[in-house]
Amino acid sequence: SAVISQKPSRDICQRGTSLTIQCQVDSQVTMMFWYRQQPGQSLTLIATANQGSEATYESGFVIDKFPISRPNLTFSTLTVSNMSPEDSSIYLCSGQKTGNTGELFFGEGSRLTVL
Amino acid sequence: SQELEQSPQSLIVQEGKNLTINCTSSKTLYGLYWYKQKYGEGLIFLMMLQKGGEEKSHEKITAKLDEKKQQSSLHITASQPSHAGIYLCGAVRPGTYKYIFGTGTRLKVLA
């Protein structure tokens, strides 16, 4: 198994500012993903965080808005840039140890409110 | 349209009642995962189904995957307030390594 820690757990931000969310895994994981969960909704995949290279973004998400880093196999960051109230969501980091049949482990999420 | 559709979208049951949640894909899946999310928290892994026709149980929760690996059901027997939360099915998007989730089912159990 893997334990994933995210911080901050929650934050209230002003419009136009940027916030970086950190994700730390207690062991090496092959894949790391970032999801967004808007109020009352399911999880939407933002991007796959690739170790040592640029993240792979899903349709509707771009690097300028959501820059992602993954310097090693246990750590990743997601930045939400130039925030607007529409960015108010829970952002979840997840990791997977084995191939595409493996369980996905989740952090507790970071709840962002943009005023 | 959603790649994984869940039904119902929400469910309110009396404690002690049985219930079923469904998850449907238009494509054959490598495997199907069920998660539970308590309101405002991260996801808790429940179980994984990989083989067509497979069925697994954990405590009062049973999940099944159909032979075509396109539909799964999650059944809760004698529901309790502790079962309340959001249930999500997940799968690796066919042809990729990317993990996607169903639309979610919000369950409330009345004591």
Side-chain angles (χ1 to χ4, degrees), chain A residues 21-84:
Chain A
I21 301 167
Q22 296 182 0
C23 176
Q24 179 72 56
V25 191
D26 69 344
S27 56
Q28 291 185 351
V29 290
T30 309
M31 308 293 293
M32 289 184 79
F33 304 98
W34 285 97
Y35 290 87
R36 181 173 72 183
Q37 186 177 30
Q38 294 183 305
Q41 304 292 318
S42 183
L43 277 66
T44 300
L45 181 61
I46 297 172
T48 304
N50 300 309
Q51 192 254 328
S53 64
E54 194 171 285
T56 307
Y57 290 85
E58 294 299 297
S59 175
F61 298 95
V62 295
I63 188 171
D64 290 344
K65 177 67 177 177
F66 298 101
I68 288 171
S69 78
R70 188 179 174 193
N72 56 52
L73 292 176
T74 62
F75 186 78
S76 178
T77 66
L78 167 75
T79 299
V80 187
S81 303
N82 188 25
M83 287 186 283
S84 66

Short mmCIF file of all heavy atoms in Angstrom, two decimals, chain A residues 21-84:
data_model
loop_
_atom_site.label_atom_id
_atom_site.label_comp_id
_atom_site.label_asym_id
_atom_site.label_seq_id
_atom_site.Cartn_x
_atom_site.Cartn_y
_atom_site.Cartn_z
N ILE A 21 -0.09 22.99 -4.54
CA ILE A 21 -0.46 21.88 -3.69
C ILE A 21 0.65 20.83 -3.77
O ILE A 21 1.11 20.48 -4.87
CB ILE A 21 -1.78 21.24 -4.15
CG1 ILE A 21 -2.91 22.29 -4.13
CG2 ILE A 21 -2.15 20.06 -3.26
CD1 ILE A 21 -4.16 21.84 -4.86
N GLN A 22 1.06 20.35 -2.61
CA GLN A 22 2.13 19.36 -2.58
C GLN A 22 1.57 17.98 -2.28
O GLN A 22 0.63 17.84 -1.49
CB GLN A 22 3.15 19.73 -1.51
CG GLN A 22 3.87 21.03 -1.78
CD GLN A 22 4.91 21.34 -0.71
OE1 GLN A 22 5.11 20.58 0.24
NE2 GLN A 22 5.61 22.45 -0.88
N CYS A 23 2.16 16.99 -2.89
CA CYS A 23 1.72 15.60 -2.71
C CYS A 23 2.96 14.74 -2.44
O CYS A 23 3.86 14.66 -3.27
CB CYS A 23 1.01 15.13 -3.98
SG CYS A 23 0.51 13.40 -3.95
N GLN A 24 2.97 14.12 -1.27
CA GLN A 24 4.10 13.30 -0.86
C GLN A 24 3.63 11.87 -0.62
O GLN A 24 2.68 11.65 0.13
CB GLN A 24 4.73 13.85 0.43
CG GLN A 24 5.90 13.05 0.95
CD GLN A 24 7.14 13.22 0.09
OE1 GLN A 24 7.61 14.32 -0.15
NE2 GLN A 24 7.68 12.12 -0.40
N VAL A 25 4.30 10.90 -1.24
CA VAL A 25 3.96 9.50 -1.07
C VAL A 25 5.04 8.85 -0.20
O VAL A 25 6.22 9.17 -0.32
CB VAL A 25 3.88 8.76 -2.42
CG1 VAL A 25 3.27 7.38 -2.24
CG2 VAL A 25 3.09 9.56 -3.44
N ASP A 26 4.62 7.92 0.64
CA ASP A 26 5.57 7.32 1.57
C ASP A 26 6.41 6.21 0.95
O ASP A 26 7.29 5.64 1.59
CB ASP A 26 4.85 6.79 2.82
CG ASP A 26 3.97 5.58 2.52
OD1 ASP A 26 3.66 5.33 1.34
OD2 ASP A 26 3.57 4.90 3.48
N SER A 27 6.13 5.90 -0.32
CA SER A 27 6.91 4.90 -1.05
C SER A 27 6.84 5.22 -2.53
O SER A 27 5.99 6.00 -2.96
CB SER A 27 6.40 3.50 -0.77
OG SER A 27 5.03 3.39 -1.07
N GLN A 28 7.71 4.60 -3.31
CA GLN A 28 7.74 4.92 -4.74
C GLN A 28 6.50 4.41 -5.45
O GLN A 28 6.05 3.29 -5.23
CB GLN A 28 8.99 4.30 -5.38
CG GLN A 28 10.28 4.95 -4.91
CD GLN A 28 11.49 4.38 -5.65
OE1 GLN A 28 11.39 3.41 -6.36
NE2 GLN A 28 12.64 5.03 -5.46
N VAL A 29 5.96 5.24 -6.29
CA VAL A 29 4.81 4.85 -7.11
C VAL A 29 5.17 5.06 -8.58
O VAL A 29 5.91 5.98 -8.91
CB VAL A 29 3.53 5.64 -6.75
CG1 VAL A 29 3.00 5.22 -5.39
CG2 VAL A 29 3.77 7.14 -6.78
N THR A 30 4.61 4.22 -9.42
CA THR A 30 4.90 4.31 -10.84
C THR A 30 4.20 5.51 -11.46
O THR A 30 4.80 6.31 -12.16
CB THR A 30 4.45 3.03 -11.55
OG1 THR A 30 4.97 1.90 -10.86
CG2 THR A 30 4.90 3.00 -13.00
N MET A 31 2.90 5.59 -11.20
CA MET A 31 2.10 6.63 -11.82
C MET A 31 1.57 7.56 -10.73
O MET A 31 1.24 7.14 -9.63
CB MET A 31 0.89 6.02 -12.54
CG MET A 31 1.21 4.90 -13.53
SD MET A 31 2.14 5.48 -14.94
CE MET A 31 0.92 6.52 -15.73
N MET A 32 1.49 8.83 -11.07
CA MET A 32 0.82 9.80 -10.20
C MET A 32 -0.15 10.62 -11.04
O MET A 32 0.17 11.01 -12.17
CB MET A 32 1.83 10.73 -9.51
CG MET A 32 2.66 10.04 -8.45
SD MET A 32 3.76 11.16 -7.57
CE MET A 32 2.61 11.91 -6.41
N PHE A 33 -1.32 10.84 -10.49
CA PHE A 33 -2.37 11.56 -11.20
C PHE A 33 -2.90 12.68 -10.31
O PHE A 33 -2.95 12.56 -9.09
CB PHE A 33 -3.54 10.63 -11.55
CG PHE A 33 -3.17 9.42 -12.36
CD1 PHE A 33 -2.96 8.20 -11.73
CD2 PHE A 33 -3.06 9.49 -13.74
CE1 PHE A 33 -2.63 7.07 -12.47
CE2 PHE A 33 -2.73 8.37 -14.48
CZ PHE A 33 -2.52 7.16 -13.84
N TRP A 34 -3.38 13.72 -10.96
CA TRP A 34 -4.08 14.80 -10.26
C TRP A 34 -5.52 14.86 -10.77
O TRP A 34 -5.75 14.85 -11.99
CB TRP A 34 -3.40 16.15 -10.49
CG TRP A 34 -2.12 16.30 -9.72
CD1 TRP A 34 -0.86 16.07 -10.17
CD2 TRP A 34 -1.99 16.73 -8.36
NE1 TRP A 34 0.06 16.31 -9.17
CE2 TRP A 34 -0.62 16.73 -8.06
CE3 TRP A 34 -2.90 17.11 -7.38
CZ2 TRP A 34 -0.13 17.09 -6.81
CZ3 TRP A 34 -2.42 17.48 -6.14
CH2 TRP A 34 -1.04 17.47 -5.86
N TYR A 35 -6.44 14.95 -9.81
CA TYR A 35 -7.86 15.02 -10.14
C TYR A 35 -8.47 16.27 -9.53
O TYR A 35 -7.98 16.80 -8.52
CB TYR A 35 -8.62 13.80 -9.56
CG TYR A 35 -8.31 12.50 -10.24
CD1 TYR A 35 -7.23 11.72 -9.83
CD2 TYR A 35 -9.12 12.03 -11.28
CE1 TYR A 35 -6.95 10.51 -10.44
CE2 TYR A 35 -8.83 10.81 -11.89
CZ TYR A 35 -7.76 10.07 -11.46
OH TYR A 35 -7.49 8.87 -12.07
N ARG A 36 -9.56 16.69 -10.12
CA ARG A 36 -10.36 17.76 -9.55
C ARG A 36 -11.76 17.23 -9.28
O ARG A 36 -12.32 16.49 -10.10
CB ARG A 36 -10.45 18.94 -10.53
CG ARG A 36 -11.25 20.12 -10.00
CD ARG A 36 -11.16 21.31 -10.92
NE ARG A 36 -11.93 21.12 -12.15
CZ ARG A 36 -11.97 22.01 -13.13
NH1 ARG A 36 -11.26 23.13 -13.05
NH2 ARG A 36 -12.68 21.78 -14.20
N GLN A 37 -12.29 17.61 -8.14
CA GLN A 37 -13.65 17.22 -7.80
C GLN A 37 -14.42 18.46 -7.42
O GLN A 37 -14.25 19.02 -6.33
CB GLN A 37 -13.66 16.21 -6.65
CG GLN A 37 -15.05 15.66 -6.35
CD GLN A 37 -15.03 14.62 -5.27
OE1 GLN A 37 -14.19 14.65 -4.38
NE2 GLN A 37 -15.96 13.67 -5.33
N GLN A 38 -15.28 18.90 -8.32
CA GLN A 38 -16.09 20.08 -8.05
C GLN A 38 -17.27 19.69 -7.17
O GLN A 38 -17.62 18.50 -7.10
CB GLN A 38 -16.52 20.70 -9.37
CG GLN A 38 -15.30 21.25 -10.13
CD GLN A 38 -15.65 21.94 -11.41
OE1 GLN A 38 -16.31 21.37 -12.26
NE2 GLN A 38 -15.18 23.17 -11.56
N PRO A 39 -17.83 20.64 -6.46
CA PRO A 39 -18.88 20.32 -5.48
C PRO A 39 -19.98 19.43 -6.05
O PRO A 39 -20.56 19.73 -7.10
CB PRO A 39 -19.42 21.72 -5.10
CG PRO A 39 -18.26 22.64 -5.32
CD PRO A 39 -17.54 22.09 -6.53
N GLY A 40 -20.23 18.34 -5.38
CA GLY A 40 -21.29 17.42 -5.79
C GLY A 40 -20.99 16.61 -7.03
O GLY A 40 -21.88 15.93 -7.55
N GLN A 41 -19.76 16.67 -7.51
CA GLN A 41 -19.41 15.98 -8.75
C GLN A 41 -18.46 14.81 -8.50
O GLN A 41 -17.93 14.65 -7.41
CB GLN A 41 -18.75 16.95 -9.73
CG GLN A 41 -19.58 18.18 -10.05
CD GLN A 41 -20.81 17.85 -10.85
OE1 GLN A 41 -20.75 17.05 -11.78
NE2 GLN A 41 -21.93 18.44 -10.49
N SER A 42 -18.24 14.05 -9.57
CA SER A 42 -17.26 12.97 -9.50
C SER A 42 -15.87 13.53 -9.73
O SER A 42 -15.67 14.74 -9.79
CB SER A 42 -17.61 11.92 -10.55
OG SER A 42 -16.72 10.82 -10.45
N LEU A 43 -14.90 12.66 -9.88
CA LEU A 43 -13.52 13.07 -10.09
C LEU A 43 -13.24 13.24 -11.58
O LEU A 43 -13.59 12.37 -12.38
CB LEU A 43 -12.55 12.02 -9.53
CG LEU A 43 -12.25 12.10 -8.04
CD1 LEU A 43 -13.46 11.78 -7.21
CD2 LEU A 43 -11.10 11.17 -7.68
N THR A 44 -12.58 14.33 -11.92
CA THR A 44 -12.16 14.58 -13.28
C THR A 44 -10.64 14.59 -13.33
O THR A 44 -10.00 15.32 -12.57
CB THR A 44 -12.70 15.94 -13.78
OG1 THR A 44 -14.13 15.93 -13.72
CG2 THR A 44 -12.25 16.19 -15.22
N LEU A 45 -10.08 13.80 -14.23
CA LEU A 45 -8.63 13.72 -14.35
C LEU A 45 -8.09 15.01 -14.96
O LEU A 45 -8.54 15.41 -16.04
CB LEU A 45 -8.25 12.52 -15.20
CG LEU A 45 -6.76 12.25 -15.43
CD1 LEU A 45 -6.05 11.98 -14.10
CD2 LEU A 45 -6.55 11.08 -16.38
N ILE A 46 -7.16 15.64 -14.27
CA ILE A 46 -6.52 16.85 -14.79
C ILE A 46 -5.32 16.46 -15.65
O ILE A 46 -5.20 16.87 -16.80
CB ILE A 46 -6.04 17.77 -13.63
CG1 ILE A 46 -7.21 18.26 -12.80
CG2 ILE A 46 -5.23 18.94 -14.18
CD1 ILE A 46 -6.81 19.01 -11.54
N ALA A 47 -4.44 15.65 -15.06
CA ALA A 47 -3.21 15.30 -15.78
C ALA A 47 -2.51 14.14 -15.10
O ALA A 47 -2.76 13.82 -13.94
CB ALA A 47 -2.27 16.50 -15.83
N THR A 48 -1.63 13.53 -15.85
CA THR A 48 -0.72 12.51 -15.34
C THR A 48 0.61 13.19 -15.09
O THR A 48 1.16 13.84 -15.99
CB THR A 48 -0.54 11.39 -16.37
OG1 THR A 48 -1.82 10.85 -16.72
CG2 THR A 48 0.33 10.28 -15.82
N ALA A 49 1.11 13.04 -13.87
CA ALA A 49 2.41 13.65 -13.53
C ALA A 49 3.51 12.67 -13.89
O ALA A 49 3.58 11.58 -13.33
CB ALA A 49 2.44 13.97 -12.04
N ASN A 50 4.35 13.04 -14.82
CA ASN A 50 5.42 12.16 -15.31
C ASN A 50 6.73 12.53 -14.63
O ASN A 50 7.10 13.71 -14.60
CB ASN A 50 5.55 12.29 -16.83
CG ASN A 50 4.26 11.90 -17.54
OD1 ASN A 50 3.69 10.85 -17.30
ND2 ASN A 50 3.80 12.77 -18.43
N GLN A 51 7.40 11.53 -14.14
CA GLN A 51 8.64 11.78 -13.43
C GLN A 51 9.73 12.24 -14.39
O GLN A 51 10.05 11.54 -15.35
CB GLN A 51 9.08 10.52 -12.68
CG GLN A 51 10.20 10.75 -11.69
CD GLN A 51 11.53 10.22 -12.15
OE1 GLN A 51 11.58 9.24 -12.86
NE2 GLN A 51 12.61 10.86 -11.76
N GLY A 52 10.26 13.41 -14.14
CA GLY A 52 11.35 13.93 -14.93
C GLY A 52 10.98 14.52 -16.27
O GLY A 52 11.85 14.88 -17.06
N SER A 53 9.70 14.61 -16.56
CA SER A 53 9.28 15.20 -17.84
C SER A 53 7.96 15.93 -17.66
O SER A 53 7.36 15.89 -16.60
CB SER A 53 9.17 14.14 -18.93
OG SER A 53 8.16 13.22 -18.61
N GLU A 54 7.53 16.58 -18.72
CA GLU A 54 6.29 17.37 -18.65
C GLU A 54 5.07 16.48 -18.41
O GLU A 54 5.00 15.36 -18.93
CB GLU A 54 6.14 18.14 -19.96
CG GLU A 54 5.11 19.24 -19.94
CD GLU A 54 5.17 20.08 -21.21
OE1 GLU A 54 6.11 20.89 -21.34
OE2 GLU A 54 4.28 19.92 -22.06
N ALA A 55 4.13 16.99 -17.66
CA ALA A 55 2.90 16.25 -17.39
C ALA A 55 2.07 16.10 -18.65
O ALA A 55 2.19 16.88 -19.60
CB ALA A 55 2.09 16.97 -16.31
N THR A 56 1.22 15.08 -18.65
CA THR A 56 0.30 14.84 -19.76
C THR A 56 -1.08 15.30 -19.34
O THR A 56 -1.67 14.73 -18.42
CB THR A 56 0.27 13.34 -20.11
OG1 THR A 56 1.58 12.87 -20.33
CG2 THR A 56 -0.58 13.11 -21.35
N TYR A 57 -1.61 16.30 -20.04
CA TYR A 57 -2.86 16.93 -19.64
C TYR A 57 -4.05 16.37 -20.39
O TYR A 57 -3.96 16.01 -21.58
CB TYR A 57 -2.78 18.45 -19.85
CG TYR A 57 -1.84 19.11 -18.88
CD1 TYR A 57 -0.47 19.17 -19.15
CD2 TYR A 57 -2.31 19.63 -17.68
CE1 TYR A 57 0.41 19.75 -18.23
CE2 TYR A 57 -1.44 20.21 -16.76
CZ TYR A 57 -0.09 20.25 -17.05
OH TYR A 57 0.77 20.81 -16.13
N GLU A 58 -5.18 16.35 -19.70
CA GLU A 58 -6.44 15.93 -20.31
C GLU A 58 -7.04 17.12 -21.06
O GLU A 58 -6.69 18.28 -20.82
CB GLU A 58 -7.40 15.44 -19.24
CG GLU A 58 -6.94 14.17 -18.55
CD GLU A 58 -6.78 13.01 -19.50
OE1 GLU A 58 -7.80 12.58 -20.10
OE2 GLU A 58 -5.65 12.53 -19.67
N SER A 59 -7.98 16.77 -21.91
CA SER A 59 -8.68 17.80 -22.66
C SER A 59 -9.35 18.77 -21.70
O SER A 59 -10.02 18.36 -20.75
CB SER A 59 -9.73 17.14 -23.57
OG SER A 59 -10.50 18.10 -24.22
N GLY A 60 -9.15 20.05 -21.95
CA GLY A 60 -9.75 21.07 -21.10
C GLY A 60 -8.82 21.60 -20.02
O GLY A 60 -9.18 22.55 -19.31
N PHE A 61 -7.67 20.98 -19.88
CA PHE A 61 -6.69 21.42 -18.88
C PHE A 61 -5.37 21.73 -19.58
O PHE A 61 -4.94 20.96 -20.44
CB PHE A 61 -6.48 20.33 -17.82
CG PHE A 61 -7.72 20.01 -17.03
CD1 PHE A 61 -8.53 18.95 -17.40
CD2 PHE A 61 -8.07 20.77 -15.93
CE1 PHE A 61 -9.68 18.65 -16.69
CE2 PHE A 61 -9.22 20.47 -15.21
CZ PHE A 61 -10.02 19.42 -15.59
N VAL A 62 -4.75 22.85 -19.22
CA VAL A 62 -3.52 23.27 -19.89
C VAL A 62 -2.43 23.56 -18.87
O VAL A 62 -2.70 23.91 -17.71
CB VAL A 62 -3.75 24.51 -20.78
CG1 VAL A 62 -4.69 24.17 -21.92
CG2 VAL A 62 -4.30 25.68 -19.96
N ILE A 63 -1.21 23.45 -19.34
CA ILE A 63 -0.05 23.60 -18.47
C ILE A 63 0.05 24.99 -17.87
O ILE A 63 0.48 25.15 -16.72
CB ILE A 63 1.25 23.22 -19.23
CG1 ILE A 63 2.45 23.18 -18.28
CG2 ILE A 63 1.49 24.18 -20.37
CD1 ILE A 63 3.69 22.60 -18.91
N ASP A 64 -0.34 26.01 -18.61
CA ASP A 64 -0.23 27.37 -18.10
C ASP A 64 -1.13 27.58 -16.89
O ASP A 64 -0.81 28.35 -16.00
CB ASP A 64 -0.59 28.39 -19.18
CG ASP A 64 0.45 28.45 -20.28
OD1 ASP A 64 1.57 27.94 -20.05
OD2 ASP A 64 0.16 29.02 -21.35
N LYS A 65 -2.25 26.91 -16.87
CA LYS A 65 -3.21 27.05 -15.77
C LYS A 65 -2.89 26.10 -14.61
O LYS A 65 -3.05 26.44 -13.46
CB LYS A 65 -4.62 26.77 -16.30
CG LYS A 65 -5.73 26.80 -15.27
CD LYS A 65 -5.96 28.20 -14.70
CE LYS A 65 -7.12 28.20 -13.73
NZ LYS A 65 -7.30 29.53 -13.11
N PHE A 66 -2.44 24.91 -14.95
CA PHE A 66 -2.18 23.88 -13.94
C PHE A 66 -0.78 23.29 -14.11
O PHE A 66 -0.62 22.10 -14.40
CB PHE A 66 -3.22 22.76 -14.05
CG PHE A 66 -4.63 23.18 -13.79
CD1 PHE A 66 -5.51 23.39 -14.84
CD2 PHE A 66 -5.09 23.38 -12.49
CE1 PHE A 66 -6.83 23.78 -14.61
CE2 PHE A 66 -6.40 23.76 -12.25
CZ PHE A 66 -7.27 23.97 -13.31
N PRO A 67 0.26 24.07 -13.90
CA PRO A 67 1.60 23.49 -14.01
C PRO A 67 1.83 22.42 -12.95
O PRO A 67 1.41 22.56 -11.80
CB PRO A 67 2.53 24.71 -13.81
CG PRO A 67 1.69 25.77 -13.21
CD PRO A 67 0.27 25.52 -13.62
N ILE A 68 2.46 21.35 -13.37
CA ILE A 68 2.69 20.19 -12.51
C ILE A 68 4.17 19.84 -12.54
O ILE A 68 4.80 19.88 -13.58
CB ILE A 68 1.86 18.99 -13.00
CG1 ILE A 68 0.37 19.21 -12.70
CG2 ILE A 68 2.34 17.68 -12.37
CD1 ILE A 68 -0.55 18.18 -13.35
N SER A 69 4.69 19.48 -11.38
CA SER A 69 6.05 18.98 -11.32
C SER A 69 6.05 17.61 -10.69
O SER A 69 5.16 17.26 -9.90
CB SER A 69 6.95 19.92 -10.51
OG SER A 69 6.73 19.73 -9.12
N ARG A 70 7.04 16.81 -11.11
CA ARG A 70 7.24 15.51 -10.45
C ARG A 70 8.74 15.20 -10.53
O ARG A 70 9.19 14.49 -11.42
CB ARG A 70 6.43 14.40 -11.09
CG ARG A 70 6.52 13.13 -10.26
CD ARG A 70 5.73 11.99 -10.81
NE ARG A 70 6.00 10.78 -10.02
CZ ARG A 70 5.66 9.57 -10.40
NH1 ARG A 70 5.04 9.37 -11.54
NH2 ARG A 70 5.93 8.54 -9.63
N PRO A 71 9.49 15.71 -9.56
CA PRO A 71 10.93 15.56 -9.61
C PRO A 71 11.42 14.15 -9.30
O PRO A 71 12.54 13.79 -9.69
CB PRO A 71 11.42 16.54 -8.54
CG PRO A 71 10.27 16.67 -7.60
CD PRO A 71 9.04 16.56 -8.45
N ASN A 72 10.62 13.36 -8.61
CA ASN A 72 11.03 11.99 -8.29
C ASN A 72 9.80 11.10 -8.17
O ASN A 72 8.67 11.53 -8.46
CB ASN A 72 11.86 11.97 -7.00
CG ASN A 72 11.14 12.61 -5.84
OD1 ASN A 72 10.00 12.25 -5.54
ND2 ASN A 72 11.78 13.56 -5.18
N LEU A 73 10.00 9.85 -7.73
CA LEU A 73 8.90 8.88 -7.72
C LEU A 73 8.01 8.98 -6.49
O LEU A 73 7.08 8.19 -6.34
CB LEU A 73 9.47 7.46 -7.82
CG LEU A 73 10.13 7.11 -9.16
CD1 LEU A 73 10.75 5.73 -9.10
CD2 LEU A 73 9.12 7.18 -10.29
N THR A 74 8.28 9.93 -5.60
CA THR A 74 7.46 10.03 -4.40
C THR A 74 6.85 11.41 -4.17
O THR A 74 6.18 11.63 -3.16
CB THR A 74 8.29 9.67 -3.14
OG1 THR A 74 9.36 10.62 -3.01
CG2 THR A 74 8.84 8.27 -3.22
N PHE A 75 7.08 12.34 -5.08
CA PHE A 75 6.64 13.71 -4.83
C PHE A 75 6.14 14.38 -6.10
O PHE A 75 6.70 14.20 -7.18
CB PHE A 75 7.81 14.52 -4.24
CG PHE A 75 7.44 15.92 -3.81
CD1 PHE A 75 6.77 16.14 -2.62
CD2 PHE A 75 7.78 17.01 -4.61
CE1 PHE A 75 6.44 17.43 -2.23
CE2 PHE A 75 7.45 18.30 -4.21
CZ PHE A 75 6.78 18.51 -3.02
N SER A 76 5.08 15.17 -5.94
CA SER A 76 4.56 15.94 -7.07
C SER A 76 3.89 17.20 -6.54
O SER A 76 3.46 17.26 -5.39
CB SER A 76 3.53 15.12 -7.86
OG SER A 76 2.98 15.86 -8.94
N THR A 77 3.85 18.21 -7.37
CA THR A 77 3.11 19.42 -7.03
C THR A 77 2.18 19.80 -8.17
O THR A 77 2.47 19.54 -9.34
CB THR A 77 4.04 20.62 -6.75
OG1 THR A 77 4.72 20.99 -7.96
CG2 THR A 77 5.05 20.31 -5.66
N LEU A 78 1.08 20.40 -7.79
CA LEU A 78 0.12 20.97 -8.75
C LEU A 78 -0.08 22.42 -8.35
O LEU A 78 -0.36 22.72 -7.20
CB LEU A 78 -1.23 20.24 -8.68
CG LEU A 78 -2.40 20.92 -9.40
CD1 LEU A 78 -2.28 20.74 -10.91
CD2 LEU A 78 -3.73 20.35 -8.92
N THR A 79 0.09 23.32 -9.31
CA THR A 79 -0.17 24.74 -9.07
C THR A 79 -1.45 25.13 -9.79
O THR A 79 -1.64 24.77 -10.96
CB THR A 79 0.99 25.60 -9.56
OG1 THR A 79 2.17 25.25 -8.83
CG2 THR A 79 0.69 27.09 -9.33
N VAL A 80 -2.32 25.81 -9.10
CA VAL A 80 -3.51 26.38 -9.72
C VAL A 80 -3.21 27.86 -9.90
O VAL A 80 -3.06 28.59 -8.90
CB VAL A 80 -4.77 26.16 -8.87
CG1 VAL A 80 -6.02 26.63 -9.63
CG2 VAL A 80 -4.92 24.70 -8.49
N SER A 81 -3.08 28.29 -11.14
CA SER A 81 -2.60 29.63 -11.44
C SER A 81 -3.73 30.60 -11.71
O SER A 81 -4.80 30.21 -12.22
CB SER A 81 -1.69 29.59 -12.67
OG SER A 81 -0.61 28.71 -12.48
N ASN A 82 -3.49 31.85 -11.38
CA ASN A 82 -4.44 32.92 -11.70
C ASN A 82 -5.87 32.48 -11.39
O ASN A 82 -6.73 32.43 -12.26
CB ASN A 82 -4.30 33.31 -13.17
CG ASN A 82 -5.12 34.54 -13.53
OD1 ASN A 82 -5.43 35.39 -12.67
ND2 ASN A 82 -5.49 34.64 -14.78
N MET A 83 -6.08 32.16 -10.13
CA MET A 83 -7.35 31.52 -9.72
C MET A 83 -8.56 32.42 -9.87
O MET A 83 -8.50 33.64 -9.68
CB MET A 83 -7.23 31.03 -8.29
CG MET A 83 -6.35 29.80 -8.15
SD MET A 83 -6.35 29.13 -6.49
CE MET A 83 -5.28 30.29 -5.68
N SER A 84 -9.67 31.78 -10.18
CA SER A 84 -10.98 32.43 -10.22
C SER A 84 -11.93 31.59 -9.38
O SER A 84 -11.62 30.44 -9.06
CB SER A 84 -11.48 32.53 -11.66
OG SER A 84 -11.73 31.24 -12.18
#
